[in-house]
Amino acid sequence: MPVEWPGEGHRRPKRSWVTYSVRRHLSAWLEQEAESATADFGRYRVLDIGCGKKPYYPYLAAASEYVGVDVDIDNPMADLLGPVEDLPVEDNSFEVVLCTQVLEHASDPDRAVSELYRVTAPGGRVLASTHGVQVYHPAPADHWRWTHSGLELLFNRNGDWESVSVRPAGGIATCLTALTGIYVDLLFRRAHLPPVGRGLVWLLNTIGSGLDRRIPELRATRPGSIFLNYHVVAEKPS
């Protein structure tokens, strides 16, 4: 593995970025899950769906095989081309399947999750993330947002999973300050004052994460809650 692997901004985002709240939690979660995969599987194979620059490869470098699939024909990091709804790999092929920030762009989420189940090896697991709420961001399309119960339903009706766990990334304060930060950043960019915008985004992100750490109720999935992102662990029976 090169000393400097692409995607450092995904693994260690700056607090002044509008993407900080999603990426910070996602990076920490995947780093922890990678340690669990190494402990549980020893040698294992990874499929990274919507791989982009494979920013999380350094966490999973212990894998015996790391395969990236993407829809972008101009992505030199992709080993295979194909959408999440029709993955060009064999059944039961990978112990760890990554699907980060892809489901919101899928044209058919049910078929997508069925494909995740199909390609996961017996005893393997899917690590997926997607939005609870977020601004519209077509890349090239943007179709879906979920609640924790909606994601549980989506996975459980599209695979005979042994277990499905859905947890919010961050809490209510993180969600509200992150969404506010997007528009603060946009406002000050249009005013040709981006440094001011970055400073305010840093402050908003600091306040949001601080409140969520100190007030457990802000992290609870209950009526009235609102979350920026969710992390899903779906385990396939052995």
Side-chain angles (χ1 to χ4, degrees), residues 22-199:
V22 169
R23 290 182 177 179
R24 178 178 74 88
H25 287 282
L26 180 56
S27 177
W29 173 63
L30 288 176
E31 189 169 20
Q32 183 177 20
E33 288 295 332
E35 293 176 0
S36 297
T38 300
D40 294 342
F41 301 123
R43 291 180 62 80
Y44 57 94
R45 294 159 293 175
V46 176
L47 180 66
D48 186 348
I49 300 165
C51 64
K53 295 180 180 179
K54 299 179 181 175
Y56 303 111
Y57 169 74
Y59 297 159
L60 295 149
S64 59
E65 184 179 9
Y66 192 109
V67 177
V69 58
D70 209 328
V71 295
D72 183 359
I73 61 174
D74 296 320
N75 180 6
M77 298 291 283
D79 304 290
L80 300 169
L81 295 175
V84 63
E85 298 92 341
D86 189 17
L87 296 169
V89 300
E90 297 180 355
D91 296 357
N92 306 313
S93 300
F94 296 89
E95 284 75 27
V96 176
V97 177
L98 298 185
C99 184
T100 59
Q101 309 307 121
V102 171
L103 290 176
E104 64 267 27
H105 304 290
S107 60
D108 187 342
D110 286 280
R111 184 174 176 183
V113 175
S114 294
E115 279 289 272
L116 298 182
Y117 184 85
R118 179 184 68 81
V119 303
T120 303
R125 67 191 56 149
V126 170
L127 305 176
S129 66
T130 190
H131 290 302
V133 297
Q134 185 55 273
V135 298
Y136 178 60
H137 59 291
D142 183 23
H143 299 304
W144 313 101
R145 301 292 183 268
W146 280 275
T147 62
H148 67 285
S149 59
L151 283 168
E152 289 171 358
L153 177 63
L154 176 66
F155 273 77
N156 282 318
R157 75 184 178 201
N158 291 290
D160 187 21
W161 304 99
E162 182 174 284
S163 66
V164 175
S165 170
V166 181
R167 297 183 182 277
I172 295 171
T174 290
C175 180
L176 295 176
T177 54
L179 292 175
T180 302
I182 291 172
Y183 295 102
V184 166
D185 179 73
L186 178 62
L187 174 65
F188 281 92
R189 285 180 185 274
R190 289 182 174 177
H192 305 291
L193 294 169
V196 176
R198 287 194 296 270

